[in-house]
Amino acid sequence: MSIQSKTRNSILIVILWLNLIALFMMIFSQQAYSDIFRDNTPRIAIISAFDPELLILKENLKDRFEFSTNGVIFATGKLENQDVVLFLSGVSVVNAVMTTQLALNHFAIEKIIFSGIAGGVDPSLNIGDVAIVERWAQYLEMLFAREVNNGWEKVPFFEYPYNNFGMMFPRSVTVLRDGSNWPETRFWFPTDKTLIEAAQRSRDHVNLNHCTSDDHCLSKKPKILIGGSGVSGSAFVDNAIFREWVFETFNAQVLDMESASVAHVAYSNKIPFIAVRSVADLAGGSDGSNQMEIFLKLAADNAASVVKAILREFSHPNGLTVND
């Protein structure tokens, strides 16, 4: 091999090593940035479970900037003149806990608003209605009891505040909270009263959709319900008997798979929380098959409209305009 060839090969090896070093430095610096990043602008966190719900709000986001960590994309900007950060919780309780706490670690979040769809439990609610409840519970935190003598034997070391569904006994959870010396046992997690009041003031300034883009129209004009209870758990419910038990046991208006766990995280971190949930199906209570796929977009639109009205209330408490 000639001296010229050896020199060329040496140069190529050096270039290769430099490129590899640059690549590792880039990966390391991105990871380090993700680990230490902290946005100190006071913001309202707006969370949705999956893309169709969040995209409606992202379309109106101004001065948008995106930051990604742990695979979660956080979009900051202004919505209805409020500084916000929008992100997906992911479906189900564990995803919602993980992403909400991740957001609290990286952003100066002053309030949390969950926007999305739910299953209607209260028989007075219809598809398209929006429920803003005063408290949330993780109702599928359960003891599966042992059957004995045609009954059920409960273990003594849990609290059982509500009636069972067969072998399934709802139980309370323990909560760690800053300032407490011992874990607190509780079943319900509250919605912030100030946010509830803002929702009440904004209720008359929202137009809710009653027809889909392909002309599937609801038989009744959607309404906004404020008050009552909601429950969350890792089950998609499409069963009339179970739905009836949930309503009778918890007096629940709606059920979903995320809100109570986000309320739990907000409570532990002492952050005001509210969930705006629009009914996309009746959790097994409809006469025919589940209608979520038909009315998902309509329900998500209605929830987003209410969220934007609440944000406008923060900016203009005495001068709201009707949302389109």
Side-chain angles (χ1 to χ4, degrees), residues 163-180:
N163 292 332
N164 58 305
F165 183 78
M167 69 175 183
M168 301 164 59
F169 286 79
R171 64 181 185 87
S172 301
V173 298
T174 55
V175 186
L176 293 172
R177 198 179 194 208
D178 185 35
S180 300

Side-chain angles (χ1 to χ4, degrees), residues 246-259:
V246 171
F247 177 66
E248 291 178 352
T249 303
F250 308 109
N251 192 28
Q253 276 61 61
V254 291
L255 57 78
D256 65 33
M257 300 175 70
E258 300 86 21
S259 294

Side-chain angles (χ1 to χ4, degrees), residues 17-35 68:
W17 274 108
L18 289 173
N19 286 335
L20 286 172
I21 291 170
L23 176 62
F24 283 125
M25 289 182 66
M26 180 180 70
I27 294 171
F28 177 79
S29 63
Q30 288 177 342
Q31 182 61 47
Y33 179 74
S34 296
D35 291 340
S68 176

Side-chain angles (χ1 to χ4, degrees), residues 119-125 231 243-244 246-247 252-255 282-283:
V121 177
D122 187 333
S124 68
L125 287 177
V231 294
R243 174 185 189 256
E244 183 178 350
V246 171
F247 177 66
Q253 276 61 61
V254 291
L255 57 78
L282 299 181

Side-chain angles (χ1 to χ4, degrees), residues 33-34 37-41 43 54 58 60-69 72-79 83-87 106-107:
Y33 179 74
S34 296
F37 173 80
R38 175 72 182 179
D39 178 350
N40 290 315
T41 300
R43 297 188 186 277
L54 196 68
K58 273 190 174 182
N60 300 116
L61 189 61
K62 298 179 180 179
D63 303 326
R64 179 170 161 183
F65 173 79
E66 292 191 348
F67 162 76
S68 176
T69 185
V72 181
I73 298 174
F74 298 95
T76 62
K78 284 190 177 291
L79 186 63
D83 289 311
V84 299
V85 53
L86 277 59
F87 61 96
H106 288 286
F107 296 89

Side-chain angles (χ1 to χ4, degrees), residues 143-157:
L143 163 75
F144 282 19
R146 180 185 304 218
E147 188 171 7
V148 293
N149 301 323
N150 298 318
W152 306 104
E153 182 179 87
K154 295 180 291 183
V155 297
F157 41 80

